[in-house]
Amino acid sequence: MTKNSDIQKQLYPILKSIPDPEIPVLSIIDLGVVRSAKVNNHIAKVKITPTYSGCPAMDAIGDDIKKALKENGFEPEVELVLSPAWTTDWMTEEGKNALKKYGIAPPLDATSDKKALLGEQQVVPCPQCESTNTKLVSQFASTACKAMFRCQDCDETFDYFKCLI
């Protein structure tokens, strides 16, 4: 997880106002893709890590960061950092709660996602009714980082944000 000390105080509210282009209820801070942000002589350097190496949203996020920093009087520099790899552990609790309110089940702990490797059924609570009577429909949903589940109590389908560690 990025420490608040890795993001200078004056840049934090700017970066917090930038939504993830795929899940607009999450800021890029809540998503955990901002590794550091520092200002030196009006040059704001921001390092970001993609949620996965082929994430198509990173160009849009980089452009949104540059635009927001320019609008606030900074000369932006955005660097893509691939190591260490992003993990769902870097998402904020506020972000996980926003996902749930948006209808996407937030990532569970790492051991729950590994149950599929052992042939065990994964229990993902429904974000609509909180029932645990859910069933995996597909390992892939609207994006590669999500799986699709169906709640067998309220009969709604929902995305689950896979746990990546």
Side-chain angles (χ1 to χ4, degrees):
M1 175 177 268
T2 300
K3 298 176 228 149
N4 282 340
S5 61
D6 296 335
I7 301 173
Q8 277 188 338
K9 196 173 186 177
Q10 67 194 97
L11 297 177
Y12 187 87
I14 299 168
L15 296 171
K16 179 78 174 166
S17 72
I18 301 171
D20 173 56
E22 292 178 344
I23 308 171
V25 295
L26 290 179
S27 77
I28 60 172
I29 294 289
D30 290 331
L31 188 58
V33 298
V34 178
R35 308 302 333 131
S36 67
K38 306 280 182 206
V39 175
N40 187 8
N41 295 327
H42 293 295
I43 298 173
K45 294 183 179 182
V46 179
K47 293 182 179 180
I48 56 175
T49 297
T51 55
Y52 64 96
S53 61
C55 180
M58 293 313 289
D59 287 340
I61 290 173
D63 291 345
D64 290 346
I65 291 171
K66 289 175 184 173
K67 181 180 177 204
L69 291 172
K70 281 183 184 175
E71 289 173 354
N72 285 278
F74 296 103
E75 184 178 328
E77 289 183 11
V78 177
E79 180 183 349
L80 192 65
V81 178
L82 299 177
S83 180
W86 179 85
T87 165
T88 47
D89 284 349
W90 293 354
M91 292 178 74
T92 65
E93 286 304 311
E94 183 181 346
K96 291 176 183 177
N97 289 332
L99 275 177
K100 187 175 174 184
K101 287 180 185 171
Y102 192 61
I104 298 173
L108 300 171
D109 62 82
T111 58
S112 66
D113 280 11
K114 291 179 180 167
K115 287 182 178 177
L117 299 172
L118 303 172
E120 298 176 31
Q121 184 176 350
Q122 188 178 22
V123 178
V124 176
C126 174
Q128 306 298 326
C129 71
E130 302 198 16
S131 169
T132 56
N133 186 16
T134 60
K135 186 174 182 177
L136 176 68
V137 174
S138 172
Q139 284 291 347
F140 300 98
S142 58
T143 60
C145 57
K146 296 182 213 122
M148 180 179 282
F149 279 77
R150 173 178 297 279
C151 178
Q152 299 188 77
D153 285 338
C154 71
D155 207 29
E156 291 288 330
T157 56
F158 61 92
D159 282 355
Y160 164 64
F161 204 109
K162 296 176 191 171
C163 184
L164 300 175
I165 295 184

